[in-house]
Amino acid sequence: AQTVTQSQPEMSVQEAETVTLSCTYDTSESDYYLFWYKQPPSRQMILVIRQEAYKQQNATENRFSVNFQKAAKSFSLKISDSQLGDAAMYFCAYRSFYTGANSKLTFGKGITLSVRP
Amino acid sequence: AAGVIQSPRHLIKEKRETATLKCYPIPRHDTVYWYQQGPGQDPQFLISFYEKMQSDKGSIPDRFSAQQFSDYHSELNMSSLELGDSALYFCASSLYTGGANTEAFFGQGTRLTVV
């Protein structure tokens, strides 16, 4: 079974600064997907960024980028130019690649990010 | 664009009562997932359906059952409710095509409170 670990329960960043959220995972599979989801106070689950394990290049989405280290099983999220609206709970999640229709997500415990004005 | 619709958004039930949560996936999506998120917890996978058949099962109590209908909407039925069932219940949907699933898009969740 796959596990996802987010060891930092809380982090804080100054507005306009950069912050990195850490995530490690454990799997015996060679192909898989990794995701970062944002859950603001509204509790909506919003996909921030996705990484395919077979891709060497780190994914980027505007101010959000990842550092994917497959050998180390590490998947960190970097938020640049932090904004007040970035304050939320962030979940790292894993999904198997070859499971057909059984594509459930396995989540980490999440990290609460606060942004100081 | 149409999103995943969950109803009701909020539900208050007493212990031992029954609750039914509904999920309407994004049009053309054929796969539905249910997750339970307790207070301060990460979402836990309960069950999923593909083309109206159960495709995977997680930590879903025997008191819960679910199904997917011909129009692809899904219902999660919860009986003999316990205080510990109080949680946010998410539904997500995706499209299975070409041997893989597209992204899972989440609904806004149903907040169930058992008193």
Side-chain angles (χ1 to χ4, degrees):
Chain A
Q2 296 78 32
T3 59
V4 178
T5 302
Q6 295 178 254
S7 55
Q8 307 156 301
E10 297 179 356
M11 285 197 75
S12 180
V13 63
Q14 190 76 34
E15 195 176 5
E17 297 292 307
T18 295
V19 65
T20 298
L21 311 182
S22 302
C23 172
T24 58
Y25 59 94
D26 190 28
T27 183
S28 58
E29 299 174 337
S30 58
D31 289 320
Y32 45 86
Y33 298 97
L34 294 166
F35 304 86
W36 279 97
Y37 280 88
K38 171 184 178 182
Q39 189 174 42
S42 67
R43 306 301 299 278
Q44 173 82 49
M45 292 292 282
I46 301 166
L47 177 64
V48 175
I49 198 164
R50 139 188 176 154
Q51 175 78 43
E52 291 88 347
Y54 57 86
K55 289 187 177 178
Q56 302 259 354
Q57 189 172 5
N58 289 323
T60 61
E61 285 288 343
N62 301 312
R63 297 183 296 108
F64 299 88
S65 62
V66 300
N67 183 3
F68 173 51
Q69 301 291 327
K70 191 173 183 179
K73 295 181 181 174
S74 170
F75 183 60
S76 60
L77 175 70
K78 186 171 82 171
I79 306 175
S80 304
D81 186 25
S82 296
Q83 300 176 359
L84 295 178
D86 294 333
M89 177 83 85
Y90 286 82
F91 290 98
C92 179
Y94 175 102
R95 194 185 96 188
S96 295
F97 186 84
Y98 293 113
T99 51
N102 302 334
S103 296
K104 65 177 181 284
L105 292 163
T106 300
F107 289 89
K109 293 297 183 186
I111 178 170
T112 300
L113 176 67
S114 58
V115 181
R116 304 186 303 274
Chain B
V4 178
I5 305 296
Q6 291 187 246
S7 68
R9 292 290 309 281
H10 302 274
L11 191 58
I12 299 175
K13 290 286 186 178
E14 295 188 353
K15 283 193 304 183
R16 293 179 289 279
E17 284 194 317
T18 297
T20 297
L21 279 55
K22 297 184 179 183
C23 169
Y24 297 86
I26 290 172
R28 292 184 56 238
H29 281 195
D30 50 17
T31 306
V32 169
Y33 313 82
W34 286 97
Y35 292 85
Q36 177 192 56
Q37 186 179 24
Q41 302 295 313
D42 55 298
Q44 294 291 316
F45 171 71
L46 292 177
I47 196 166
S48 64
F49 293 87
Y50 167 66
E51 283 291 345
K52 293 152 280 183
M53 299 288 288
Q54 180 182 308
S55 55
D56 198 3
K57 192 173 181 179
S59 49
I60 183 169
D62 292 340
R63 299 178 289 107
F64 294 7
S65 65
Q67 58 181 330
Q68 185 179 31
F69 294 86
S70 57
D71 63 352
Y72 295 103
H73 94 273
S74 178
E75 295 183 2
L76 177 65
N77 297 293
M78 311 159 69
S79 63
S80 302
L81 287 169
E82 302 172 357
L83 295 179
D85 296 328
S86 296
L88 188 60
Y89 290 83
F90 282 110
C91 173
S93 75
S94 66
L95 175 65
Y96 182 60
T97 179
N101 273 91
T102 62
E103 302 300 340
F105 292 87
F106 283 78
Q108 291 189 293
T110 293
R111 180 173 297 283
L112 173 66
T113 303
V114 181
V115 297

